[in-house]
Coordinates of all heavy atoms in Angstrom, one line a residue:
M1 N -2.3 -33.4 31.2 CA -2.6 -32.6 30.1 C -1.9 -33.2 28.8 O -0.7 -33.6 28.9 CB -2.0 -31.2 30.3 CG -2.1 -30.3 29.1 SD -1.2 -28.7 29.1 CE -1.1 -28.2 30.8
T2 N -2.5 -33.2 27.7 CA -2.0 -33.7 26.5 C -1.5 -32.5 25.7 O -2.3 -31.6 25.3 CB -3.0 -34.5 25.7 OG1 -3.4 -35.6 26.5 CG2 -2.4 -35.0 24.4
L3 N -0.2 -32.5 25.3 CA 0.3 -31.4 24.5 C 0.4 -31.9 23.1 O 1.0 -33.0 22.8 CB 1.7 -31.0 25.0 CG 1.8 -30.4 26.4 CD1 3.2 -30.1 26.8 CD2 1.0 -29.2 26.5
R4 N -0.1 -31.1 22.2 CA 0.0 -31.4 20.7 C 0.3 -30.2 20.0 O -0.2 -29.1 20.4 CB -1.4 -32.0 20.2 CG -1.7 -33.3 20.9 CD -3.0 -33.8 20.3 NE -3.3 -35.1 21.0 CZ -4.1 -36.0 20.5 NH1 -4.7 -35.8 19.4 NH2 -4.4 -37.1 21.2
S5 N 1.0 -30.3 18.9 CA 1.2 -29.1 18.1 C 0.0 -28.6 17.4 O -0.9 -29.4 17.2 CB 2.3 -29.4 17.0 OG 1.8 -30.2 16.0
L6 N -0.1 -27.3 17.2 CA -1.3 -26.8 16.5 C -1.4 -27.3 15.1 O -2.5 -27.5 14.6 CB -1.1 -25.2 16.5 CG -1.2 -24.6 17.9 CD1 -1.0 -23.1 17.7 CD2 -2.5 -24.9 18.5
A7 N -0.3 -27.6 14.4 CA -0.3 -28.1 13.1 C -0.9 -29.5 13.0 O -1.6 -29.8 12.1 CB 1.1 -28.1 12.5
A8 N -0.7 -30.3 14.1 CA -1.3 -31.6 14.1 C -2.8 -31.6 14.2 O -3.5 -32.6 13.8 CB -0.7 -32.4 15.2
N9 N -3.3 -30.6 14.8 CA -4.8 -30.5 15.0 C -5.4 -29.5 14.0 O -6.6 -29.3 14.1 CB -5.1 -30.1 16.4 CG -4.9 -31.2 17.4 OD1 -5.2 -32.3 17.0 ND2 -4.4 -30.9 18.5
S10 N -4.7 -29.0 13.0 CA -5.3 -28.1 12.1 C -6.4 -28.8 11.2 O -6.4 -30.0 11.0 CB -4.3 -27.5 11.1 OG -3.8 -28.5 10.2
R11 N -7.4 -28.0 10.8 CA -8.4 -28.5 10.0 C -7.9 -29.2 8.7 O -8.4 -30.2 8.3 CB -9.5 -27.5 9.7 CG -10.3 -27.1 10.8 CD -11.3 -26.0 10.5 NE -12.1 -25.8 11.6 CZ -13.2 -24.9 11.6 NH1 -13.5 -24.3 10.5 NH2 -13.8 -24.7 12.7
S12 N -6.9 -28.5 8.1 CA -6.4 -29.1 6.8 C -5.7 -30.4 7.0 O -5.9 -31.3 6.2 CB -5.5 -28.1 6.1 OG -4.4 -27.7 6.9
R13 N -5.0 -30.5 8.1 CA -4.3 -31.8 8.4 C -5.3 -32.9 8.7 O -5.2 -34.0 8.2 CB -3.3 -31.6 9.6 CG -2.6 -32.8 10.1 CD -1.6 -33.4 9.1 NE -0.7 -32.4 8.6 CZ 0.5 -32.1 9.2 NH1 0.9 -32.6 10.3 NH2 1.3 -31.2 8.7
R14 N -6.3 -32.6 9.5 CA -7.3 -33.6 9.8 C -8.1 -34.0 8.5 O -8.4 -35.1 8.3 CB -8.2 -33.1 10.9 CG -7.5 -33.0 12.2 CD -8.4 -32.4 13.3 NE -9.4 -33.3 13.7 CZ -9.3 -34.2 14.6 NH1 -8.1 -34.4 15.2 NH2 -10.3 -35.0 15.0
A15 N -8.3 -33.0 7.6 CA -9.0 -33.3 6.4 C -8.2 -34.3 5.5 O -8.7 -35.2 4.9 CB -9.3 -32.0 5.6
N16 N -6.9 -34.0 5.5 CA -6.0 -34.9 4.7 C -6.0 -36.3 5.3 O -6.0 -37.3 4.6 CB -4.5 -34.3 4.7 CG -4.4 -33.2 3.8 OD1 -5.0 -33.1 2.8 ND2 -3.5 -32.3 4.1
W17 N -5.9 -36.4 6.6 CA -6.0 -37.7 7.2 C -7.3 -38.5 7.0 O -7.3 -39.7 6.7 CB -5.7 -37.6 8.8 CG -4.3 -37.3 9.1 CD1 -3.2 -37.6 8.4 CD2 -3.9 -36.7 10.3 NE1 -2.1 -37.1 9.1 CE2 -2.5 -36.6 10.3 CE3 -4.5 -36.3 11.5 CZ2 -1.7 -36.1 11.3 CZ3 -3.7 -35.8 12.5 CH2 -2.3 -35.7 12.4
R18 N -8.4 -37.7 7.0 CA -9.7 -38.3 6.7 C -9.7 -38.8 5.2 O -10.2 -39.9 4.9 CB -10.8 -37.4 6.9 CG -11.1 -37.0 8.3 CD -11.6 -38.2 9.1 NE -13.0 -38.4 8.7 CZ -13.7 -39.5 9.0 NH1 -13.1 -40.5 9.6 NH2 -14.9 -39.7 8.6
A19 N -9.1 -38.0 4.3 CA -9.0 -38.4 2.9 C -8.2 -39.7 2.7 O -8.4 -40.5 1.8 CB -8.5 -37.3 2.1
L20 N -7.2 -39.9 3.6 CA -6.4 -41.1 3.6 C -7.1 -42.3 4.2 O -6.5 -43.4 4.1 CB -5.0 -40.9 4.3 CG -4.0 -40.0 3.6 CD1 -2.9 -39.6 4.6 CD2 -3.5 -40.6 2.4
G21 N -8.2 -42.1 4.8 CA -9.0 -43.2 5.3 C -8.9 -43.4 6.8 O -9.4 -44.3 7.4
L22 N -8.3 -42.4 7.5 CA -8.2 -42.5 9.0 C -9.6 -42.3 9.6 O -10.3 -41.4 9.2 CB -7.2 -41.5 9.6 CG -5.8 -42.0 9.8 CD1 -5.2 -42.2 8.4 CD2 -5.0 -41.0 10.6
S23 N -9.9 -43.1 10.6 CA -11.2 -42.9 11.3 C -11.0 -41.8 12.4 O -9.9 -41.4 12.6 CB -11.5 -44.3 12.0 OG -10.6 -44.5 13.1
L24 N -12.1 -41.4 12.9 CA -12.1 -40.4 14.0 C -11.3 -40.9 15.2 O -10.6 -40.2 15.8 CB -13.5 -40.0 14.4 CG -14.3 -39.3 13.3 CD1 -15.7 -39.0 13.8 CD2 -13.6 -38.0 12.9
E25 N -11.4 -42.2 15.4 CA -10.6 -42.9 16.5 C -9.1 -42.8 16.2 O -8.3 -42.5 17.1 CB -11.0 -44.3 16.7 CG -10.4 -45.0 17.8 CD -10.8 -46.5 17.9 OE1 -11.9 -46.7 18.5 OE2 -10.1 -47.4 17.4
D26 N -8.7 -43.0 14.9 CA -7.3 -42.9 14.6 C -6.7 -41.5 14.7 O -5.6 -41.4 15.0 CB -7.1 -43.4 13.1 CG -7.2 -44.9 12.9 OD1 -7.1 -45.6 13.9 OD2 -7.4 -45.3 11.8
M27 N -7.6 -40.5 14.6 CA -7.1 -39.1 14.7 C -6.5 -38.9 16.1 O -5.7 -38.0 16.2 CB -8.3 -38.2 14.5 CG -8.9 -38.3 13.1 SD -8.0 -37.3 12.0 CE -9.2 -37.3 10.6
E28 N -7.0 -39.6 17.1 CA -6.5 -39.4 18.5 C -5.3 -40.2 18.8 O -4.7 -39.9 19.8 CB -7.7 -39.7 19.5 CG -8.9 -38.9 19.2 CD -8.7 -37.4 19.3 OE1 -7.9 -36.9 20.2 OE2 -9.3 -36.7 18.4
K29 N -4.9 -41.1 17.9 CA -3.8 -42.0 18.2 C -2.5 -41.3 17.7 O -2.5 -40.4 16.8 CB -3.9 -43.3 17.5 CG -5.1 -44.1 17.9 CD -5.2 -45.4 17.1 CE -6.4 -46.2 17.5 NZ -6.5 -47.4 16.7
P30 N -1.3 -41.7 18.3 CA -0.1 -41.1 17.8 C 0.2 -41.6 16.4 O -0.1 -42.8 16.0 CB 1.0 -41.7 18.8 CG 0.3 -42.6 19.7 CD -1.2 -42.6 19.4
K31 N 0.7 -40.7 15.5 CA 1.1 -41.0 14.2 C 2.6 -41.2 14.2 O 3.3 -40.4 14.6 CB 0.7 -39.9 13.2 CG -0.8 -39.9 12.8 CD -1.6 -39.5 13.9 CE -3.0 -39.1 13.6 NZ -3.7 -38.7 14.9
I32 N 3.1 -42.3 13.6 CA 4.5 -42.7 13.6 C 5.0 -43.0 12.2 O 4.4 -43.8 11.5 CB 4.7 -43.9 14.5 CG1 4.2 -43.5 16.0 CG2 6.2 -44.3 14.6 CD1 4.1 -44.7 16.9
A33 N 6.0 -42.3 11.8 CA 6.6 -42.5 10.5 C 7.5 -43.7 10.5 O 8.3 -43.9 11.5 CB 7.4 -41.3 10.0
V34 N 7.4 -44.5 9.5 CA 8.4 -45.7 9.3 C 9.1 -45.4 8.0 O 8.5 -45.4 6.9 CB 7.6 -47.0 9.2 CG1 8.5 -48.1 8.9 CG2 6.8 -47.2 10.4
V35 N 10.4 -45.0 8.2 CA 11.2 -44.6 7.0 C 11.8 -45.9 6.4 O 12.4 -46.7 7.1 CB 12.3 -43.6 7.4 CG1 13.1 -43.3 6.2 CG2 11.7 -42.4 8.0
N36 N 11.5 -46.1 5.1 CA 12.0 -47.3 4.4 C 12.8 -47.0 3.2 O 12.4 -46.3 2.3 CB 10.7 -48.1 4.0 CG 11.1 -49.4 3.4 OD1 12.3 -49.8 3.2 ND2 10.1 -50.2 3.0
S37 N 14.0 -47.4 3.2 CA 14.9 -47.2 2.1 C 15.1 -48.4 1.2 O 16.2 -48.6 0.6 CB 16.3 -46.7 2.6 OG 16.9 -47.6 3.4
S38 N 14.1 -49.3 1.1 CA 14.1 -50.5 0.3 C 14.4 -50.1 -1.1 O 14.0 -49.1 -1.6 CB 12.8 -51.2 0.4 OG 12.8 -52.3 -0.5
S39 N 15.1 -51.0 -1.8 CA 15.5 -50.8 -3.2 C 15.6 -52.1 -3.9 O 16.2 -53.0 -3.4 CB 16.8 -50.0 -3.3 OG 17.2 -49.9 -4.7
E40 N 15.0 -52.2 -5.1 CA 15.2 -53.4 -5.9 C 16.5 -53.3 -6.7 O 16.9 -54.3 -7.3 CB 14.0 -53.5 -6.9 CG 12.7 -53.8 -6.3 CD 11.6 -53.9 -7.3 OE1 11.7 -53.4 -8.4 OE2 10.5 -54.4 -6.9
L41 N 17.2 -52.2 -6.6 CA 18.5 -52.1 -7.3 C 19.7 -52.5 -6.5 O 20.8 -52.7 -7.0 CB 18.7 -50.6 -7.8 CG 17.7 -50.1 -8.8 CD1 17.9 -48.7 -9.1 CD2 17.8 -50.9 -10.1
A42 N 19.5 -52.6 -5.2 CA 20.6 -52.9 -4.3 C 20.1 -54.1 -3.4 O 19.2 -53.9 -2.6 CB 21.0 -51.8 -3.4
I43 N 20.6 -55.3 -3.6 CA 20.2 -56.5 -2.9 C 20.3 -56.3 -1.4 O 19.5 -56.9 -0.6 CB 21.0 -57.7 -3.4 CG1 20.3 -59.0 -2.8 CG2 22.4 -57.6 -2.9 CD1 19.0 -59.3 -3.4
C44 N 21.2 -55.5 -0.9 CA 21.3 -55.4 0.6 C 20.2 -54.6 1.2 O 20.1 -54.6 2.4 CB 22.7 -54.7 0.9 SG 23.0 -53.2 0.1
Y45 N 19.3 -54.0 0.4 CA 18.2 -53.2 1.0 C 16.8 -53.8 0.6 O 15.8 -53.4 0.9 CB 18.2 -51.8 0.5 CG 19.4 -51.0 1.0 CD1 20.4 -50.7 0.1 CD2 19.6 -50.7 2.3 CE1 21.6 -50.0 0.5 CE2 20.7 -50.1 2.7 CZ 21.7 -49.7 1.8 OH 22.8 -49.1 2.2
A46 N 16.9 -54.9 -0.2 CA 15.6 -55.5 -0.8 C 14.7 -56.1 0.3 O 13.5 -56.2 0.2 CB 16.0 -56.6 -1.8
H47 N 15.3 -56.5 1.4 CA 14.5 -57.1 2.5 C 13.8 -56.1 3.4 O 13.0 -56.5 4.2 CB 15.5 -57.9 3.4 CG 16.4 -57.1 4.2 ND1 17.4 -56.3 3.6 CD2 16.4 -56.8 5.5 CE1 18.1 -55.7 4.6 NE2 17.5 -55.9 5.7
L48 N 14.0 -54.8 3.2 CA 13.4 -53.8 4.1 C 11.9 -53.7 4.0 O 11.3 -53.2 5.0 CB 14.1 -52.5 3.9 CG 15.6 -52.5 4.3 CD1 16.2 -51.1 4.0 CD2 15.8 -52.8 5.7
D49 N 11.3 -54.0 2.9 CA 9.9 -54.0 2.8 C 9.2 -54.9 3.8 O 8.2 -54.5 4.5 CB 9.4 -54.3 1.4 CG 9.6 -53.2 0.4 OD1 9.6 -52.0 0.8 OD2 9.7 -53.5 -0.8
G50 N 9.8 -56.1 3.9 CA 9.3 -57.0 4.9 C 9.4 -56.5 6.4 O 8.6 -56.7 7.2
I51 N 10.6 -55.9 6.6 CA 10.8 -55.4 8.0 C 9.8 -54.2 8.2 O 9.2 -54.1 9.3 CB 12.3 -55.0 8.2 CG1 13.1 -56.2 8.1 CG2 12.5 -54.2 9.4 CD1 14.6 -55.9 8.2
A52 N 9.6 -53.4 7.3 CA 8.7 -52.2 7.4 C 7.3 -52.7 7.7 O 6.6 -52.2 8.5 CB 8.8 -51.3 6.2
R53 N 6.9 -53.8 7.0 CA 5.6 -54.4 7.2 C 5.4 -54.8 8.7 O 4.4 -54.5 9.3 CB 5.3 -55.5 6.3 CG 3.9 -56.1 6.3 CD 3.7 -57.2 5.3 NE 4.4 -57.2 4.1 CZ 5.5 -57.8 3.8 NH1 6.1 -58.6 4.7 NH2 6.1 -57.8 2.6
I54 N 6.4 -55.5 9.2 CA 6.4 -56.0 10.6 C 6.3 -54.8 11.6 O 5.6 -54.8 12.5 CB 7.6 -56.9 10.9 CG1 7.4 -58.2 10.1 CG2 7.7 -57.2 12.4 CD1 8.7 -59.0 10.1
V55 N 7.2 -53.8 11.3 CA 7.2 -52.6 12.2 C 5.8 -51.9 12.2 O 5.3 -51.6 13.3 CB 8.3 -51.6 11.8 CG1 8.2 -50.3 12.5 CG2 9.7 -52.3 12.0
K56 N 5.2 -51.8 11.1 CA 3.9 -51.1 11.0 C 2.8 -52.0 11.7 O 2.0 -51.4 12.4 CB 3.5 -50.9 9.5 CG 4.3 -49.8 8.9 CD 3.8 -49.4 7.5 CE 3.8 -50.6 6.5 NZ 3.4 -50.2 5.2
E57 N 2.9 -53.3 11.6 CA 1.9 -54.1 12.4 C 2.1 -54.0 13.9 O 1.1 -53.9 14.6 CB 2.2 -55.6 12.0 CG 1.7 -56.0 10.6 CD 2.2 -57.4 10.2 OE1 2.8 -58.1 11.0 OE2 1.9 -57.7 9.0
E58 N 3.3 -53.9 14.3 CA 3.6 -53.7 15.8 C 3.2 -52.3 16.3 O 2.7 -52.2 17.4 CB 5.1 -54.0 16.1 CG 5.5 -55.4 15.9 CD 4.7 -56.4 16.7 OE1 4.4 -56.1 17.9 OE2 4.3 -57.5 16.2
I59 N 3.3 -51.3 15.4 CA 2.9 -50.0 15.8 C 1.3 -50.0 16.0 O 0.8 -49.4 16.9 CB 3.3 -48.9 14.7 CG1 4.8 -48.7 14.8 CG2 2.6 -47.6 14.9 CD1 5.4 -47.9 13.7
R60 N 0.7 -50.6 15.0 CA -0.8 -50.7 15.1 C -1.2 -51.5 16.4 O -2.1 -51.1 17.1 CB -1.4 -51.4 13.9 CG -1.5 -50.6 12.7 CD -2.2 -51.3 11.5 NE -1.9 -50.6 10.3 CZ -1.0 -50.9 9.4 NH1 -0.2 -51.9 9.6 NH2 -0.8 -50.2 8.3
A61 N -0.5 -52.6 16.7 CA -0.8 -53.4 17.9 C -0.6 -52.6 19.2 O -1.3 -52.8 20.2 CB 0.0 -54.6 17.9
A62 N 0.3 -51.7 19.1 CA 0.6 -50.8 20.3 C -0.3 -49.6 20.4 O -0.1 -48.8 21.4 CB 2.1 -50.4 20.3
G63 N -1.2 -49.4 19.4 CA -2.1 -48.3 19.5 C -1.7 -47.1 18.7 O -2.4 -46.0 18.9
G64 N -0.8 -47.2 17.8 CA -0.4 -46.1 17.0 C -0.9 -46.2 15.6 O -1.5 -47.3 15.2
V65 N -0.7 -45.2 14.8 CA -1.0 -45.2 13.4 C 0.3 -45.0 12.5 O 0.9 -44.0 12.6 CB -2.0 -44.1 13.0 CG1 -2.4 -44.1 11.5 CG2 -3.3 -44.2 13.9
P66 N 0.8 -46.1 11.8 CA 2.0 -45.9 11.1 C 1.8 -45.3 9.7 O 0.8 -45.6 9.1 CB 2.5 -47.4 11.0 CG 1.2 -48.2 10.9 CD 0.2 -47.4 11.8
F67 N 2.7 -44.6 9.3 CA 2.8 -44.0 7.9 C 4.1 -44.4 7.3 O 5.2 -44.0 7.9 CB 2.6 -42.5 7.9 CG 1.2 -42.1 8.2 CD1 0.9 -41.7 9.5 CD2 0.2 -42.0 7.2 CE1 -0.4 -41.3 9.8 CE2 -1.0 -41.6 7.5 CZ -1.4 -41.3 8.8
E68 N 4.2 -45.1 6.2 CA 5.5 -45.4 5.6 C 5.9 -44.3 4.7 O 5.2 -43.8 3.9 CB 5.3 -46.7 4.8 CG 6.7 -47.2 4.3 CD 6.6 -48.6 3.7 OE1 5.6 -49.3 4.0 OE2 7.6 -49.0 3.1
V69 N 7.2 -43.9 4.9 CA 7.8 -42.8 4.2 C 9.0 -43.5 3.4 O 9.9 -44.1 4.0 CB 8.3 -41.7 5.1 CG1 9.0 -40.6 4.3 CG2 7.2 -41.2 5.9
R70 N 9.0 -43.3 2.1 CA 10.1 -43.9 1.3 C 11.3 -42.9 1.3 O 11.1 -41.7 1.2 CB 9.6 -44.2 -0.1 CG 8.6 -45.3 -0.2 CD 9.3 -46.6 0.2 NE 8.3 -47.7 0.1 CZ 8.7 -48.9 -0.2 NH1 9.9 -49.1 -0.6 NH2 7.8 -49.8 -0.3
S71 N 12.5 -43.5 1.3 CA 13.7 -42.7 1.2 C 14.6 -43.4 0.2 O 14.5 -44.5 0.0 CB 14.3 -42.6 2.6 OG 15.6 -42.0 2.6
A72 N 15.6 -42.6 -0.3 CA 16.5 -43.2 -1.2 C 17.5 -44.1 -0.5 O 17.9 -43.8 0.7 CB 17.4 -42.1 -1.9
A73 N 17.8 -45.2 -1.1 CA 18.8 -46.1 -0.5 C 20.2 -45.5 -0.5 O 20.5 -44.8 -1.4 CB 18.9 -47.4 -1.3
P74 N 20.9 -45.6 0.6 CA 22.2 -44.9 0.8 C 23.3 -45.4 -0.2 O 24.3 -44.7 -0.3 CB 22.6 -45.2 2.2 CG 21.6 -46.1 2.8 CD 20.5 -46.3 1.8
S75 N 23.1 -46.5 -0.9 CA 24.3 -47.0 -1.7 C 24.1 -46.5 -3.1 O 23.2 -46.2 -3.7 CB 24.4 -48.5 -1.7 OG 23.2 -49.1 -2.2

């Protein structure tokens, strides 16, 4: 049995995903957030865009759908 939250299968959520370009096949895949705190203001976080790109590629290769979420850099 596959357990999913009701919110994940709501019509409005699925409509938003379709508007973002997800296919019907993608709708059935796990959605995974990739939180990225990259910043051009702090050199110690400037490399995180490249790491996020690699992480998203690997999520796709493993059968998931990645969504990048931006966050403030901690410094």
Side-chain angles (χ1 to χ4, degrees):
M1 175 192 332
T2 301
L3 298 177
R4 295 182 182 199
S5 73
L6 294 176
N9 284 326
S10 70
R11 287 183 177 182
S12 61
R13 176 68 51 88
R14 293 176 71 83
N16 284 330
W17 286 338
R18 291 291 289 162
L20 287 172
L22 268 67
S23 67
L24 293 176
E25 183 180 279
D26 286 342
M27 298 275 192
E28 302 303 320
K29 296 177 182 178
K31 283 66 167 184
I32 302 167
V34 177
V35 180
N36 184 356
S37 61
S38 175
S39 172
E40 293 179 343
L41 296 174
I43 191 67
C44 52
Y45 300 108
H47 69 291
L48 294 178
D49 283 335
I51 292 174
R53 188 180 325 97
I54 293 167
V55 170
K56 290 189 298 184
E57 289 169 2
E58 293 301 320
I59 289 170
R60 283 187 195 95
V65 179
F67 288 96
E68 188 168 344
V69 179
R70 293 295 182 143
S71 175
S75 62

